[in-house]
Amino acid sequence: MSVERVHRMSYAVDAAAPAGALYTLVADVTQWPLFLPDTVHVERLDFDGVADRYVRWADAGGELRRSLVRRTLDAGGRRVLFREERPDAPVTASGGGWCVEELAPGWSRLTLEREITLDGGRTAEAERAVARAEEGAWAALGGLRVAAERWRRLDELMVSFEESVRIEGPAEPVYEFLYGVGSWPGRVAHVLEAEVSEDRPGVQRTRLVNLADDGSAYPTEGVRACFPAAGRIVFKRTRPHPLLAAHTGEWCVEPDVSGVTVSCRHDVLLDERAVGRCTGPGAELAAARRYVREVVGRESRAVLEPATRYAGDPVRTLRSV
């Protein structure tokens, strides 16, 4: 009979940011993929203003892992308590809490307390689970600290938009085209090379070589989680466009009685250090936002256009949020 072991961990970082700004980043889990390097996608399932429940896909140790988490949020006390539902073996229970303290005006401390219960009979796997938890904790603290310290201009650095195409035709071949990213060279205008590997069915790692406006080539790398039954592909570019610090999004194929709507949503975080190199010396963030909107949007359209040839005539619409 194996004996369970409880492993308790505590981590903290100080940030040159107001406590309220730091707490907001901890509480809004939907933005974590832009700030946390290991977080690929987060989907909030329920939220009533005090408690929420979400699914998180994280790239841990080279493996895309899914976790289902419940949280209780205390905005007044700047605390968030969480508990993972049905954690992966050898972890039998996992939970903890976030706490944000004001140290001085413009300075705050973020503390993460973790407690995981492990199957004591699986020593090697338990050690790897603890190592993953520690690595993920430090990555989360670092990512949230960096984002919080940009709090005055963070909204300007983030850009979200969506492009969509209406097709009079079936959904299946369109989804097949989006899934088959390895076939894009020669079919998608800006994709020169594509390498794809699958950790398991539906989980893809990609490396693309893309053609830039000036004729040069640049690489991007990413992770994609594919859900054929739902017509969805969520992605994160772990090595994004040179202008970006982070890039996440989703392809969605929605059929109806007369055809299909294909959309691609993008959420990006500008890399301030690269703005001047790409848009010229002294360029403002507003110009960089317009530039990245056009570049990333054009790349989306370059994928959508050949996809439409599988099924019918497109009617394109644009939406920005």
Side-chain angles (χ1 to χ4, degrees):
M1 180 179 178
S2 64
V3 178
E4 291 187 328
R5 294 185 294 122
V6 178
H7 195 91
R8 295 182 177 88
M9 299 164 279
S10 181
Y11 314 88
V13 294
D14 294 348
L22 186 52
Y23 174 80
T24 297
L25 292 171
V26 173
D28 188 3
V29 70
T30 62
Q31 299 289 352
W32 282 10
L34 289 178
F35 308 133
L36 276 56
D38 66 335
T39 302
V40 173
H41 180 68
V42 173
E43 199 154 317
R44 192 177 245 166
L45 305 177
D46 304 294
F47 183 49
D48 62 9
V50 176
D52 70 359
R53 185 168 175 259
Y54 64 86
V55 180
R56 174 177 176 242
W57 284 265
D59 195 10
E63 180 182 355
L64 192 63
R65 291 174 172 265
R66 177 185 181 275
S67 57
L68 181 61
V69 181
R70 286 187 179 274
R71 302 190 306 170
T72 302
L73 294 87
D74 176 8
R78 300 194 188 101
R79 296 185 61 87
V80 177
L81 300 178
F82 63 88
R83 176 67 57 182
E84 184 178 349
E85 300 180 3
R86 300 188 297 276
D88 294 333
V91 179
T92 59
S94 174
W98 298 89
C99 178
V100 179
E101 304 170 81
E102 183 178 8
L103 301 177
W107 280 90
S108 54
R109 175 169 296 159
L110 176 60
T111 302
L112 171 60
E113 304 280 352
R114 288 291 313 270
E115 181 177 296
I116 59 176
T117 304
L118 302 156
D119 183 346
R122 306 173 68 169
T123 305
E125 292 181 57
E127 290 177 354
R128 287 194 292 269
V130 171
R132 282 195 302 267
E134 291 181 340
E135 183 180 357
W138 284 119
L141 289 166
L144 292 170
R145 177 188 63 79
V146 170
E149 290 182 342
R150 300 172 179 171
W151 69 278
R152 294 181 185 277
R153 58 195 183 281
L154 193 57
D155 287 346
E156 292 182 270
L157 292 171
M158 297 168 61
V159 183
S160 296
F161 64 93
E162 181 178 287
E163 302 226 13
S164 64
V165 173
R166 175 67 187 169
I167 302 172
E168 304 300 328
E172 291 78 4
V174 178
Y175 187 87
E176 180 182 353
F177 181 85
L178 297 176
Y179 185 91
V181 62
S183 70
W184 288 3
R187 305 164 86 181
V188 175
H190 67 279
V191 179
L192 303 177
E193 301 176 20
E195 298 176 12
V196 184
S197 62
E198 293 203 6
D199 295 349
R200 59 182 185 273
V203 177
Q204 300 177 328
R205 295 184 184 274
T206 65
R207 184 183 185 279
L208 307 182
V209 176
N210 308 275
L211 185 65
D213 291 345
D214 62 4
S216 63
Y218 67 92
T220 58
E221 298 176 7
V223 181
R224 309 202 318 168
C226 307
F227 309 95
R232 300 175 62 202
I233 299 173
V234 299
F235 64 86
K236 179 172 183 173
R237 288 188 174 176
T238 53
R239 183 179 183 179
H241 184 281
L243 185 60
L244 304 178
H247 183 180
T248 68
E250 176 179 346
W251 293 97
C252 186
V253 180
E254 299 180 89
D256 55 42
V257 294
S258 61
V260 61
T261 299
V262 187
S263 61
C264 186
R265 178 179 174 84
H266 297 276
D267 298 295
V268 304
L269 179 67
L270 298 178
D271 183 347
E272 289 182 276
R273 298 167 300 178
V275 166
R277 295 198 303 269
C278 293
T279 59
E284 296 183 352
L285 286 177
R289 288 168 60 88
R290 291 192 295 271
Y291 179 82
V292 76
R293 170 67 179 87
E294 174 54 31
V295 170
V296 177
R298 185 168 62 247
E299 291 184 353
S300 290
R301 295 192 295 272
V303 176
L304 291 170
E305 287 166 5
T308 63
R309 292 196 288 269
Y310 277 70
D313 296 326
V315 179
R316 183 165 64 88
T317 62
L318 305 180
R319 285 187 288 169
S320 296
V321 294

